[in-house]
Structure formats: structure tokens, C-alpha cells
Amino acid sequence: MRKKLIIGNWKMNLNMQEASLYLHKLMEVLKPRRDVEVVVAPTTLTLQSLSLQINRRIAKLAAQNCYWRDHGAYTGEVPAAHLRGIADYVLIGHSERRYIFIESDKDIRLKVQAAIRNRLQPILCIGETAQERALGETRDVLADQLTSGLANVTAEELDKVVIAYEPIWAIGTGDNAKPVDVKKATQMIRQHVAHLYGKKAAEEVRILYGGSITVDNAADYLAISGLDGLLVGAASLDIHQFTEIIEKAHKG
Ligand code: PGA
């Protein structure tokens, strides 16, 4: 059985002091669970000092982004190579990266590859816009984003990759996707991974849902067979809500 994976994406919130205090409390209240893996994704600036503070038996760290080249004249960027050993995971292609920072499919493909090359587990975020959904294009959009994002990933490397289904219209809007639709999307993703890598790989790949998750709706997603966990944004900024969501994953 795959472990449940609960990731808190703090986005551009919690400065050094706030992040350190949050982590301190999290280490106090969380117990290591065999059935749940907990990850938090703080800002890049805070990652290194949090990596010295965190107890990795209790929780792990994700970067929110990385650059795909290992070094060079790329002002302002942080390469996956520098995150190696500091973070365990890295979010790649989050919709805020795709739409606000205009990351292309090619950028995302190269970043996935850079993450794997540098021993970080990429969390590849995919999802359709409201318009694509209205036009019934969800399956095609997911297939295209998977094909493109995983283009350079070998079958052996696929077990490092986590896929997060994050419908754009559900992120930060309070308009969470219906569990029945998340279940369908999860099946579409597994079918496409099977098409690309075979049935066994498709059964093993971890798939998360993200988009307006709250303490009240988390259990509905955790009950979906074939879904392995949650990528939590706003609700993860409140340690009580985040730990309650983790508890539901443990019980669920
Ligand atoms: P949200 O964010 O939970 O605040 O909607 C989810 C995400 O961006 O991963």
C-alpha cells in the first residue's frame, strides 16, 4: 500500500522567524506515522535553516521551485543543484508558476529532469483551467501536461515523481473540485501513465489533489481510492488546521 502524502505549500508566506516557530511546533505535535508522510514547502530563503531544524523522521521539506541549469549566469535563480541535500521534494509547474511567471511546458520538463538529476523528488503539478473544463478538455489537458512534463523521465526514474492534480479554478478560490471529479481525474492520470510507462508504473505512481482543501473537506478526498494525498495551500498556514488534516490522513 502507498503511504498517504500530505504537503503544505506555504507559498510566499511565513518569514524566517514565523517559519521556524511553525516548524518547532509541528515537530512537537506530530508523531512519526508509518502510514502518512508529511512535507512542508517554505520559501526558498528559509529552506536551509529549516533543514537544520527539521526532524526528517517526522516531516520533510519541499522547495517551491528550482531552476534547471546547475550553475551559470542566471541572475536571481536557485538551481536544483543547490537544493540537493536541503530539500527532499520540489514543486514543479505549480499553476502560479505556469500562469503568473509564464513557465512553459519546456521549462517544466527541464525542471523535472534537473530535480531527478539532483536527487530531489519532483511534484509535477498539472490541471485544467475553468475554460478547458467547460469545454470538456480536462482529459486532453492532463494527458498533454503529463506527456510533456515526463518526456525525459525514464521508467526507472518514475518512482521518484509525484503527480499533483490541481485544477486551476480550484486553487485559492474556495471552489474545491468535487471528489467524484477528482476521482475521475485520478483515473485519467493513471490511464495516461499506463499508456506512457505500463500498468505497473501507473499503479505505483503517487497522485495528490490540491485546490481549496480545508479541514472540513479533506476526508472526502482522502477516501478516494487511487488518490494518495493532498497538496494543501492556505489551510497549511494554520498549524492547527494542517495537523488536523494530517490526522485525518492517518485515520483515513
Ligand atoms: P489552496 O492552494 O489550498 O490555497 O487552494 C493549493 C495549492 O496551490 O497547491
Side-chain angles (χ1 to χ4, degrees), residues 40-201:
V40 288
T43 64
T44 311
L45 183 66
T46 62
L47 267 174
Q48 185 177 22
S49 88
L50 296 184
S51 80
L52 302 174
Q53 186 187 337
I54 202 163
N55 176 349
R56 282 187 156 79
R57 286 180 53 239
I58 299 179
K60 293 185 177 143
L61 289 172
Q64 296 175 15
N65 182 30
C66 66
Y67 192 54
W68 55 272
R69 290 206 192 262
D70 288 347
H71 50 80
Y74 304 100
T75 303
E77 291 297 313
V78 175
H82 289 191
L83 296 168
R84 183 179 186 153
I86 293 175
D88 306 280
Y89 290 89
V90 55
L91 296 174
I92 309 265
H94 187 281
S95 65
E96 286 150 18
R97 301 294 323 166
R98 290 182 194 259
Y99 293 96
I100 302 174
F101 299 99
I102 323 293
E103 282 189 11
S104 68
D105 286 341
K106 183 177 170 216
D107 293 325
I108 290 160
R109 170 162 68 246
L110 291 166
K111 288 181 177 198
V112 167
Q113 212 184 355
I116 293 173
R117 184 168 73 238
N118 287 290
R119 305 222 157 88
L120 299 163
Q121 293 194 243
I123 301 156
L124 174 62
C125 303
I126 60 174
E128 80 285 3
T129 62
Q131 196 190 8
E132 288 161 343
R133 177 183 178 228
L135 292 168
E137 292 173 355
T138 301
R139 181 183 288 276
D140 290 343
V141 170
L142 296 180
D144 286 352
Q145 291 181 348
L146 281 171
T147 304
S148 169
L150 298 175
N152 297 328
V153 176
T154 66
E156 292 72 46
E157 290 166 341
L158 189 72
D159 67 345
K160 305 281 179 295
V161 179
V162 176
I163 294 161
Y165 171 58
E166 296 220 308
I168 317 296
W169 47 271
I171 296 177
T173 57
D175 187 13
N176 55 305
K178 288 199 191 79
V180 58
D181 291 332
V182 173
K183 183 168 184 170
K184 272 188 217 152
T186 307
Q187 286 164 349
M188 290 174 194
I189 292 169
R190 285 202 197 281
Q191 279 161 9
H192 197 68
V193 173
H195 168 70
L196 296 173
Y197 293 94
K199 205 164 157 250
K200 187 166 177 289

Side-chain angles (χ1 to χ4, degrees), residues 9 11 94 96 166 170-173 210-213 231-235:
N9 178 9
K11 307 193 181 184
H94 187 281
E96 286 150 18
E166 296 220 308
I171 296 177
T173 57
S212 299
I213 291 161
L231 180 47
V232 187

